Amino acid sequence: MEYLIIVVAVLAVLAIVTGAVFFVRPRRRGPGRAAPPAPPAPGQAGPAEASGATAVAPTLPPVTGPAGPPTVEEAPTPLAGRMVRLRGRLARSQSAFGAVLLGLLSRDALDDRAWEEVEDTLLAADLGVGPSRQLVDELRTQVKVEGAQGTEAVRALLRADLVNAIGADQDRALHIGPHGDRPAVVLVVGVNGTGKTTACGKLARALIGEGRSVLLGAADTFRAAAADQLQTWGQRVGARVVRSDREGADPASVAFEAVREGIEERVDTVIVDTAGRLHTKAGLMDELGKIKRVIEKRATVDEVLLVLDATTGQNGLRQARVFAEAVDITGIILTKLDGTAKGGIVVAVQRELGVPVKLVGLGEGPDDLAPFDPGTFVDAILGG
Ligand code: GDP
């Protein structure tokens, strides 16, 4: 009997210890979820409420909703060299276009019909009428003058002409250097669904990876989900988000508050996400103009980046034009280039807006945003 009591007691103790270990052990984070960033210093929230905007202290992210980005744990890869790393994505989406071109140009006899087919291929890749014709004219002359024959010779000519059409020496750098004690400000604009909020999150992550501090402003106040999505990104990448607690609040006051707090906290960069409802052009002009003006009361708007979805083709270009008329764009973020074979849109959009593509989106992952490099892009198209 005594023996039985001892056995039961030992088993009971074991059960208690096992249970305690199970419950006390900290819950493992899901694979790849970032640790929460440090809470803001006391007193940071400031008079946000006065302007209808509130500073949101980072807390543990709500576990992924369908709109959330993939979870992240590793440090971001450096921005430089990302396009080479993501070349495979480009090759998958663009190489069919390159293969057709090279196939046509490698024919023994390049007659009018063949050149027309080359032009049609360029047009089908969304290069645009003017640039396609110009490229064919240049190539045609070069092939004739240089007597280029064979795949390699033609490939070299085509590579040079495509890089030239894209613009090898355009300034594609993000100008977000510090202004004394003022942060650099990046305004991100574009139609909803193009990947604006995702681009803000990816950019914040990349800049933080380079050692800069970033504050995000959720000036898309029309959709609570947009601010929530930005907040999720902020929490994952370690950037505080300034947002309104009121749907439909004045976007300009949220942008102003983000910049004000950015100055107060001496952050390096403030990235402001804006609403992209395609209402009237006048409405868009009013809204974006006001956002820019109020920011400029306190800081300089260094970059106005237009986000354009590469898969939307000519329709996307039309929308881009409306934004460009509403606000001075300084660069383009071309997203979803991994999901279209129509890489010619790079040339078309630059022509249309007169500003360079600075960044490209090559997937939904947190590091799938790369500084655009024409040479790497063309090499991926031509499989070189
Ligand atoms: P917003 O409404 O403009 O803010 O767009 P979101 O940032 O919510 O993005 C819309 C959808 O596009 C999301 O599902 C993103 O994951 C997706 N997305 C954004 N950028 C890219 C990209 O470069 N490639 C791919 N394949 N998907 C992207």
Side-chain angles (χ1 to χ4, degrees), residues 18-60:
T18 315
V21 167
F22 183 79
F23 285 111
V24 171
R25 194 176 52 183
R27 267 198 305 157
R28 258 173 67 94
R29 290 179 208 289
R33 194 166 315 139
Q44 270 179 0
E49 296 74 16
S51 63
T54 48
V56 175
T59 50
L60 254 187

Side-chain angles (χ1 to χ4, degrees), residues 191-198 223 229 336 338 361-364:
V191 181
N192 289 340
T194 51
K196 221 171 344 102
T197 306
T198 306
R223 302 174 302 160
Q229 194 190 341
K336 311 187 194 180
D338 55 309
L362 289 165
E364 295 190 79

Side-chain angles (χ1 to χ4, degrees), residues 174-189:
L174 281 184
H175 295 286
I176 49 171
H179 304 279
D181 57 355
R182 309 245 142 167
V185 179
V186 180
L187 200 57
V188 182
V189 305

Side-chain angles (χ1 to χ4, degrees), residues 155-329:
R155 189 186 174 285
L157 286 178
L158 182 59
R159 184 188 189 279
D161 286 347
L162 280 172
V163 170
N164 193 30
I166 294 169
D169 45 14
Q170 293 211 42
D171 178 12
R172 299 179 191 276
L174 281 184
H175 295 286
I176 49 171
H179 304 279
D181 57 355
R182 309 245 142 167
V185 179
V186 180
L187 200 57
V188 182
V189 305
V191 181
N192 289 340
T194 51
K196 221 171 344 102
T197 306
T198 306
C200 290
K202 288 175 179 175
L203 183 59
R205 176 172 151 86
L207 296 179
I208 289 169
E210 291 186 341
R212 296 172 199 248
S213 51
V214 175
L215 190 138
L216 292 163
D220 181 352
T221 56
F222 295 95
R223 302 174 302 160
D228 290 346
Q229 194 190 341
L230 193 69
Q231 202 177 331
T232 304
W233 269 106
Q235 285 160 339
R236 293 206 170 109
V237 305
R240 212 163 63 77
V241 178
V242 171
R243 65 178 288 183
S244 171
D245 50 7
R246 223 165 19 88
E247 207 166 297
D250 179 15
S253 74
V254 177
F256 179 82
E257 183 57 26
V259 171
R260 195 194 65 72
E261 292 185 30
I263 294 170
E264 200 172 281
E265 289 169 29
R266 303 179 78 95
V267 300
D268 299 314
T269 317
V270 176
I271 301 175
V272 179
D273 187 15
T274 61
R277 299 170 307 150
L278 257 195
H279 41 10
T280 61
K281 190 162 91 189
L284 194 69
M285 277 177 165
D286 278 356
E287 196 170 295
L288 292 178
K290 189 171 165 201
I291 289 177
K292 200 161 173 246
R293 272 196 312 280
V294 299
I295 293 175
E296 281 170 347
K297 287 186 182 163
R298 291 296 191 98
T300 307
V301 176
D302 298 85
E303 293 276 1
V304 181
L305 301 176
L306 174 75
V307 181
L308 187 72
D309 177 342
T311 64
T312 55
Q314 295 302 317
N315 192 25
L317 279 188
R318 265 192 295 282
Q319 296 170 347
R321 208 175 301 142
V322 176
F323 277 86
E325 284 166 15
V327 65
D328 284 338
I329 310 288

Side-chain angles (χ1 to χ4, degrees), residues 93-107:
S93 61
Q94 308 295 325
S95 59
F97 151 53
V100 172
L101 275 182
L102 284 174
L104 285 167
L105 290 166
S106 303
R107 286 185 190 167

